[in-house]
């Protein structure tokens, strides 16, 4: 392996695919485990990349993957539970297995992807409590130099936020009912998130730190959806649902295939996904990018 080899868990996902290019340009060799390498053949075009086929992501597999690595980035996360993919398994147990395997293999460095408002005890939702528990586990691991990044909603080419609302707006004629319209977000560009991870990997002063990552402006969900409709050229009447109707929609939608909106999502959205005084990007020397300069380039 290269003198700088990083194992990226979740490297074939939205953030991961953007991160691969950034780290490859910085001289890192990226080791990316995947259950479905045939779906990601295009990644083989990237230099400094090894796609490693795996049947599962557990302690046995991690023990085989990590020897020789100089760092690990854990990007794996889910927004909703589905069968065996529970918050406890993905956000907590996997981190426990990862930190144990990394310690056994002598891997010194870990970057943990967490979330704004993650808190094992006081998190507003099961998602945020599990993210907080995983983050705490990572930072307690002996022998590991850990940095956490805690982004607001992430946008960029291939995202599941603006693209998802654009698709829903295309399919919905005339009136668009919107749950939790006053939920607050500070959307952060995926390129800035990847830059933060890359700088954290190289800077020993970031060890032990937890960085809240936000874009430069705060929006309500209603403002973001209205702006999305404008960018794709669709005139829609947005009907912001009150709290009772929002809960009703969540209870209904979590029974649908794919769970487009759940009660746990509803609970997460009761807390503003904003950074307040702790602007992690600026602390890392990164000037955050605005949605106006990025989103129209891929929605149109």
């Amino acid at each position: 392996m290269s003198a700088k080899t990083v194992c990226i868990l979740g490297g074939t996902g939205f953030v991961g695919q953007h991160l691969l290019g950034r780290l490859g340009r910085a001289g890192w060799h990226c080791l990316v485990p995947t259950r479905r390498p045939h779906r990601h053949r295009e990644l083989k075009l990237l230099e400094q990349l090894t796609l490693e086929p795996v049947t599962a992501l557990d302690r046995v597999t991690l023990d085989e993957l990590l020897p020789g690595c100089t760092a690990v980035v854990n990007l794996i996360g889910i927004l909703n539970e589905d069968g065996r993919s529970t918050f406890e398994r993905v956000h907590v147990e996997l981190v426990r297995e990862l930190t144990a395997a990394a310690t056994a293999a002598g891997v010194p460095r870990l970057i943990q992807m967490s979330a704004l408002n993650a808190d094992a005890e006081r998190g507003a939702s099961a998602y945020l409590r599990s993210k907080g528990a995983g983050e705490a586990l990572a930072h307690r691991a002996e022998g590991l130099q850990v940095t956490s990044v805690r982004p607001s909603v992430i946008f960029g080419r291939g995202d599941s936020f603006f693209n998802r609302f654009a698709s829903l707006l295309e399919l919905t004629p005339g009136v668009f009912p919107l749950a939790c319209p006053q939920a607050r977000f500070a959307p952060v560009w995926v390129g800035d998130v990847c830059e933060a991870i890359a700088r954290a990997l190289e800077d020993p002063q970031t060890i032990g730190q937890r960085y809240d990552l936000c874009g430069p402006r705060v929006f309500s969900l209603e403002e973001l959806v209205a702006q999305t409709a404008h960018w794709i050229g669709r005139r829609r009447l947005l009907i912001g649902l009150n709290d009772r109707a929002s809960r009703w929609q969540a209870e209904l939608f979590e029974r649908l295939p794919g769970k487009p909106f759940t009660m746990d999502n509803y609970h997460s959205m009761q807390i503003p996904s904003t950074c307040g005084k702790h602007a992690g990007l600026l602390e890392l020397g990164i000037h955050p990018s605005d949605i106006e300069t990025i989103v129209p380039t891929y929605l149109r």
Side-chain angles (χ1 to χ4, degrees):
M1 287 189 179
S2 164
K4 290 172 55 174
T5 298
V6 56
C7 181
I8 304 178
L9 306 188
T12 60
F14 163 55
V15 176
Q17 292 195 37
H18 286 269
L19 181 62
L20 294 176
R22 173 62 181 84
L23 294 184
R25 291 191 297 273
W28 286 88
H29 177 87
C30 298
L31 177 65
V32 181
T34 175
R35 295 184 180 91
R36 303 175 183 88
H38 60 282
R39 293 188 180 181
H40 307 290
R41 295 190 185 97
E42 74 284 357
L43 295 180
K44 295 181 179 180
L45 299 175
L46 295 174
E47 298 181 5
Q48 305 264 42
L49 174 74
T50 299
L51 278 179
E52 186 67 31
V54 298
T55 57
L57 203 54
D58 53 21
R59 177 63 193 272
V60 173
T61 302
L62 292 167
D63 282 339
E64 295 173 351
L65 283 170
L66 297 185
C69 292
T70 47
V72 183
V73 177
N74 180 25
L75 302 175
I76 292 180
I78 57 173
L79 287 176
N80 292 309
E81 297 180 310
D82 183 16
R84 295 174 61 187
S85 297
T86 65
F87 292 139
E88 179 70 19
R89 169 60 199 152
V90 175
H91 297 158
V92 184
E93 291 180 11
L94 178 59
V95 175
R96 184 178 291 111
E97 293 171 354
L98 171 60
T99 54
T103 301
V107 179
R109 195 76 171 93
L110 168 64
I111 307 295
Q112 172 73 13
M113 174 72 84
S114 187
L116 274 181
N117 302 315
D119 189 309
E121 301 297 329
R122 298 184 298 275
S125 62
Y127 167 79
L128 291 172
R129 290 190 294 274
S130 65
K131 274 291 192 179
E135 180 184 320
L137 267 175
H139 281 267
R140 287 199 304 265
E142 294 185 9
L144 271 180
Q145 301 169 346
V146 180
T147 304
S148 292
V149 292
R150 299 157 50 94
S152 182
V153 63
I154 303 175
F155 70 89
R157 190 172 299 277
D159 69 44
S160 59
F161 186 82
F162 286 106
N163 281 298
R164 183 177 187 180
F165 277 112
S167 298
L168 291 172
L169 288 162
E170 293 275 9
L171 294 171
T172 306
V175 177
F176 190 92
L178 181 65
C180 305
Q182 296 309 310
R184 310 292 285 179
F185 300 92
V188 59
W189 182 42
V190 65
D192 291 336
V193 173
C194 293
E195 184 65 25
I197 293 172
R199 294 191 184 192
L201 277 171
E202 301 283 2
D203 185 355
Q205 292 188 357
T206 65
I207 294 169
Q209 301 300 311
R210 309 176 193 221
Y211 292 97
D212 291 351
L213 305 183
C214 289
R217 290 194 287 163
V218 175
F219 302 87
S220 70
L221 181 60
E222 187 171 24
E223 290 170 331
L224 292 171
V225 175
Q227 189 63 63
T228 301
H230 170 72
W231 282 325
I232 65 174
R234 293 292 182 268
R235 298 185 65 179
R236 298 289 184 265
L237 177 61
L238 299 183
I239 303 296
L241 303 181
N242 62 24
D243 186 68
R244 183 176 180 180
S246 295
R247 293 175 67 94
W248 178 84
Q249 187 185 85
E251 291 171 353
L252 174 65
F253 280 20
E254 70 181 1
R255 293 176 170 83
L256 299 179
K259 298 184 177 182
F261 185 51
T262 68
M263 278 302 300
D264 203 67
N265 301 149
Y266 164 86
H267 289 305
S268 292
M269 293 167 68
Q270 302 312 298
I271 306 297
S273 185
T274 58
C275 285
K277 297 179 181 179
H278 302 287
L281 289 177
L282 294 178
E283 291 175 15
L284 291 165
I286 302 167
H287 184 74
S289 302
D290 192 76
I291 60 172
E292 289 278 359
T293 61
I294 306 290
V295 180
T297 66
Y298 61 87
L299 281 191
R300 287 175 180 165

